[in-house]
């Protein structure tokens, strides 16, 4: 699978799910602890340094909502969102539904948020208490300057709380929450750490988290409540996806074996280069400029030829065993191919061969159209 | 495992998770459809009759909150909750957090809600728009008269919307949503249908569901939004737990093979009788009266003997391979033993033998104390 998750996982990750454990079983409670400290470690922090890991059932969006809905105060809280795609926009939808006061800077899908803009806005508007952005915009594959933004915020307004949705970047692109001034970092089991879906997590600055008690707008998605629950007896408040957690522990182990985030990023970058070069050779160009393109997922415009039908293209590729992802742009028809998951160079050559074969079968002419 | 879920699942259920499928893959979309229609079937209804199945990521509580937070109108909505345990009380907590106007009738843990009380209350208070209760209170193992309540509500106030949390009953105790006047019935993957945790579901009367558009208090837990998303393109709005869904399809197949809900209930009842009789022989008495005791999980008071320490008892049983459940009563120390999951007569004899062995090892004297 060449998707941004659920993605191809290793056989041992799946095999780890062949056991049923009770949610209060000591063996399972040990898994929770291992996972929590492993995740903090990946973010360059630890409990000793004042950071906590909160695991949340559901998809990544559930964890993002649990942060936004739980940490922005009901009174006098205001969230500035920096968006350049669907995932930043989703944060805005959350604020609208939960009646959270917010401000919104929208860049185009081909741009990335600018640290100086964030600094200027929070300097102008002192009522802003929180700032949120996306680390890697899966909409396009853009890598946003989340460190720069965090540092600029610290210089401009050290009292502002910085929230980062690092869904499809965490575990590949290195992060140091402390150095990057990140109070809440959210990601999911089934992205760069290569686990199966079922839960997501928020890494939290403990002092900040503790100060949010009682602010949650949901019982299930109460971030502080979820933390406090596990803190009190080591157990989830509500039934956890035990099998996903078992798979994830194995995934974390494989992540370490590969050399941590840097080792994983090296493989993803090698995958990406093969993909980019091979697609370019066929006439497909990356939608984004090289300077902001990440190694996680790549957006290509679809061929101009009227014979190209995405559904047919997708289905034929899928029949060959290469599952790709539709595009998510509003302004142009596009397709996306991921380079994450248990994928290696041979897999990237396989998807390239498959794309070429399907285009031939469909008699589609290249090159694809160029963006203005 | 002798727990109310996550529970012991069959080998084929776990084996079904050994495949990675993309969340937009046609094979996965077919699994969603099969699961949806299988679940409606278990509730005695179908899409043709105007019912819909909404799958929700997370634990059962997430699905309960998605119903309560999405279907009770923001203006002029008022929910009457009938509670006789922790799960009814949890609905009250949800209302408090989400600022949902509500009324609350609390029975003791040893009683069940009374249909006539519900009818009287909604007749008195015409501002009540919704009524919710629990089908099987896992706190104690009490089986509540959810059908009677639904029918009484139809007679008293046909305009009232009836919501049932059937978490640990659905798939064993037969339900007919139409006959029982249930507009929303919630349950989870990892209870009587014997799947693995990762998602839950709400079965919904379509006309009612459609009328709730825009009422949700959460993006992730927006019931209508979740339904509309899958309705529009067959896909989840946000990453689904693909492996849990695959396991669940297999679990549904095994449920059918066992003779549906009735066949499953027969096995659970046989399990329960062995457990009850064996525990009684040792001196343990059921906490509940026989008339309200279900066959799902049984609460026993702990022995009076000061040598009895629950943690030690639990750990020793666990070491023997028999994982039970702590009690959840506030008024007395208790323990719970479940009879659901892939458990058969031999497993019930095994837990009984293990309990006897551990009591001997701990030199605990029986009988246990009696409730007044």
């Amino acid at each position: 699978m060449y998707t941004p998750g659920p993605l191809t996982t290793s056989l041992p990750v799946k095999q780890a799910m062949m056991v049923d454990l009770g949610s209060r079983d000591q063996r399972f409670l040990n898994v929770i602890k291992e996972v929590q400290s492993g995740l903090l470690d990946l973010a360059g922090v630890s409990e000793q340094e004042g950071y906590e890991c909160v695991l949340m059932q559901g998809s990544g969006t559930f964890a993002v909502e649990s942060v936004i809905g739980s940490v922005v105060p009901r009174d006098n809280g205001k969230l500035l969102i920096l968006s350049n795609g669907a995932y930043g926009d989703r944060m805005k939808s959350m604020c609208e539904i939960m009646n959270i006061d917010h401000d919104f800077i929208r860049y185009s899908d081909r741009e990335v948020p600018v640290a100086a803009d964030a600094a200027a806005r929070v300097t102008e508007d002192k009522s802003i208490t929180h700032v949120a952005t996306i680390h890697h915009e899966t909409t396009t594959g853009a890598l946003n300057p989340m460190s720069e933004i965090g540092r600029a915020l610290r210089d401009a307004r050290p009292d502002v709380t910085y929230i980062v949705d690092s869904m499809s970047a965490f575990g590949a692109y290195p992060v140091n929450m402390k150095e990057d001034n990140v109070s809440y970092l959210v990601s999911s089991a089934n992205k760069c750490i290569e686990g199966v879906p079922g839960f997501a997590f928020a890494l939290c600055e403990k002092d900040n988290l503790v100060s949010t008690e009682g602010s949650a707008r949901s019982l299930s998605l109460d971030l502080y409540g979820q933390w406090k629950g596990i803190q009190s007896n080591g157990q989830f408040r509500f039934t956890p996806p035990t099998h996903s957690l078992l798979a994830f522990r194995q995934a974390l182990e494989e992540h370490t074996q590969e050399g941590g985030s840097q080792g994983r990023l090296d493989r993803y970058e090698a995958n990406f280069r093969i993909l980019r070069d091979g697609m370019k050779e066929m006439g497909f160009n990356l939608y984004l400029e090289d300077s902001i393109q990440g190694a996680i997922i790549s957006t290509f415009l679809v061929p101009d030829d009227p014979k190209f039908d995405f559904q047919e293209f997708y289905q034929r590729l899928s029949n060959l065993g290469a599952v790709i992802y539709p595009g998510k742009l509003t302004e142009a028809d596009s397709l996306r191919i991921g380079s994450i998951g248990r994928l290696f160079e041979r897999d990237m050559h396989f998807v390239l061969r498959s794309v070429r074969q399907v285009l031939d079968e469909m008699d589609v002419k290249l090159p694809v159209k160029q963006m203005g």
Side-chain angles (χ1 to χ4, degrees), chain A residues 105-120:
Chain A
I105 305 181
R106 183 57 155 97
Y107 299 87
S108 89
D109 285 358
R110 306 185 88 184
E111 298 170 320
V112 293
V114 177
D117 294 350

Side-chain angles (χ1 to χ4, degrees), chain A residues 83-102:
Chain A
S83 173
N84 59 329
Y87 294 89
D89 295 354
R90 190 174 285 176
M91 288 180 170
K92 185 169 188 284
S93 302
M94 289 177 186
C95 288
E96 284 162 359
I97 290 174
M98 295 189 281
N99 286 319
I100 293 172
D101 193 15
H102 61 283

Side-chain angles (χ1 to χ4, degrees), chain A residues 230-244:
Chain A
I230 294 193
Q231 191 77 356
S232 69
N233 60 6
Q235 299 167 11
F236 274 77
R237 294 177 303 162
F238 312 129
T239 305
T242 44
H243 302 78
S244 301

